[in-house]
């Protein structure tokens, strides 16, 4: 079974509007971390936002927020006030287990290509 | 501000040749990772170092692949006897131990095997 599922291969949004990118995950570990990365056409993976499984509040970083619904195992990324520079691939990733332990590697989804239209 | 750097950025080689890639992590980061990304997919974990110790190798990493981090700083990834299926983007990332363990990625090395 896929550990990270991103069901939207592509999304379009008008500049200045908000957009939600979907991510569901599968783990039996009670301790895990969820990450979102942006990958522009240049190829570099840019860290956007992190949510820990025990965090009580949804993570926010500027225009990025993570809609964390633990019971549904979903961790959707919300980008507010989209900008043309937001056009890129977006990847959801998970680290299973505690960070200080032996678990460290990230498992990525297949990504969503976001296009922001002027 | 020096992030993760990788060299070369692009490599074209003929099948059967050996190639070596270098990664320089963020200086204070003690963890270093290699991932491989093929077209239309997310990155896949290859291997991980904590300081100079290689603590895990994915089964994706065949015997033709070897990685080192001799002094706990930069790392090299070597592929021997390259095959066309090795064509991919090879990404390096580094992190500090901590709650998030957020990984910072380099720009990647794009390998094309002809």
């Amino acid at each position: 079974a896929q550990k990270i599922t991103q069901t939207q291969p592509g999304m379009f949004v008008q500049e200045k509007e908000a957009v939600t990118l979907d991510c569901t995950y599968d783990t039996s570990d009670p301790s895990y971390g969820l990450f979102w990365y942006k990958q522009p056409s240049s190829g570099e993976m840019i860290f956007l936002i992190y949510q820990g499984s025990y965090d009580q509040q949804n993570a926010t970083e500027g225009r990025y927020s993570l809609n964390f619904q633990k019971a549904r195992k979903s961790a959707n990324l919300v980008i507010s006030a989209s900008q043309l520079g937001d056009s890129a691939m977006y990847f959801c990733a998970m680290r299973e287990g505690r960070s200080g332990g032996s678990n460290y590697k990230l498992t990525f989804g297949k990504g969503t290509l976001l296009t922001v239209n002027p | 501000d020096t992030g993760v750097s990788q060299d070369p950025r692009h490599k074209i080689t003929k099948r059967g040749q050996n190639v070596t890639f270098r990664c320089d992590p963020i200086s204070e980061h003690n963890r270093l990772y290699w991932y491989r990304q093929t077209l239309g997919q997310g990155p896949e974990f290859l291997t991980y170092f904590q300081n100079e110790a290689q603590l895990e190798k994915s089964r994706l990493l065949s015997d033709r692949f070897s990685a080192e981090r001799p002094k706990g700083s930069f790392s090299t990834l070597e592929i021997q006897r390259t095959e066309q299926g090795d064509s991919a983007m090879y990404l390096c990332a580094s992190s500090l131990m901590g709650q998030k363990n957020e990984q910072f990625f380099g720009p990647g090395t794009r390998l094309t095997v002809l």
Side-chain angles (χ1 to χ4, degrees):
Chain A
Q2 292 283 336
K3 285 187 177 289
I4 296 288
T5 302
Q6 296 181 252
T7 57
Q8 306 154 315
M11 287 284 286
F12 294 88
V13 65
Q14 286 296 121
E15 195 178 4
K16 300 180 184 177
E17 292 186 350
V19 63
T20 297
L21 306 183
D22 294 342
C23 173
T24 57
Y25 59 92
D26 182 26
T27 182
S28 57
D29 200 313
S31 179
Y32 52 89
L34 297 159
F35 301 77
W36 277 92
Y37 284 84
K38 171 184 178 182
Q39 188 176 42
S41 55
S42 59
E44 186 167 351
M45 300 284 287
I46 301 167
F47 167 74
L48 296 178
I49 195 166
Y50 164 84
Q51 181 85 41
S53 59
Y54 294 118
D55 293 345
Q56 295 296 313
Q57 294 189 331
N58 287 344
T60 60
E61 292 283 352
R63 294 186 300 111
Y64 304 108
S65 60
L66 201 152
N67 184 3
F68 182 45
Q69 298 187 44
K70 197 169 182 177
R72 296 180 60 187
K73 293 189 175 179
S74 75
N76 298 339
L77 177 70
V78 180
I79 304 174
S80 63
S82 296
Q83 301 173 355
L84 296 178
D86 293 335
S87 294
M89 282 291 288
Y90 288 80
F91 291 96
C92 180
M94 176 173 64
R95 181 206 71 241
E96 294 177 275
R98 293 179 62 81
S99 171
S102 61
N103 296 296
Y104 35 75
K105 60 189 173 188
L106 297 178
T107 302
F108 286 84
K110 292 189 174 184
T112 296
L113 180 62
L114 176 66
T115 303
V116 180
N117 294 317
Chain B
D1 178 24
T2 54
V4 179
S5 61
Q6 292 187 246
D7 184 69
R9 294 291 304 277
H10 303 274
K11 179 69 176 179
I12 300 174
T13 191
K14 293 183 178 179
R15 190 176 51 189
Q17 297 294 306
N18 299 342
V19 294
T20 300
F21 310 141
R22 177 180 169 122
C23 170
D24 287 88
I26 294 171
S27 58
E28 63 268 27
H29 286 185
N30 58 345
R31 290 180 168 178
L32 186 147
Y33 316 78
W34 286 97
Y35 291 84
R36 181 172 69 187
Q37 186 178 22
T38 54
L39 205 59
Q41 303 294 320
E44 295 175 292
F45 171 79
L46 291 179
T47 190
Y48 155 71
F49 290 85
Q50 183 159 305
N51 300 312
E52 66 275 9
Q54 187 175 21
L55 297 187
E56 184 174 340
K57 292 172 61 174
S58 162
R59 52 187 166 83
L60 292 175
L61 219 62
S62 74
D63 291 344
R64 296 184 296 106
F65 288 71
S66 62
E68 294 182 343
R69 193 182 184 198
K71 296 182 181 179
S73 56
F74 73 92
S75 175
T76 58
L77 178 68
E78 180 182 17
I79 309 174
Q80 296 182 327
R81 305 181 303 282
T82 52
E83 301 172 357
Q84 288 185 326
D86 296 331
S87 295
M89 176 79 89
Y90 290 84
L91 293 164
C92 176
S94 69
S95 73
L96 272 173
M97 287 182 65
Q99 181 183 3
K100 289 185 183 181
N101 193 35
E102 62 197 80
Q103 296 180 21
F104 294 88
F105 284 79
T109 294
R110 183 167 294 284
L111 173 66
T112 302
V113 181
L114 301 177

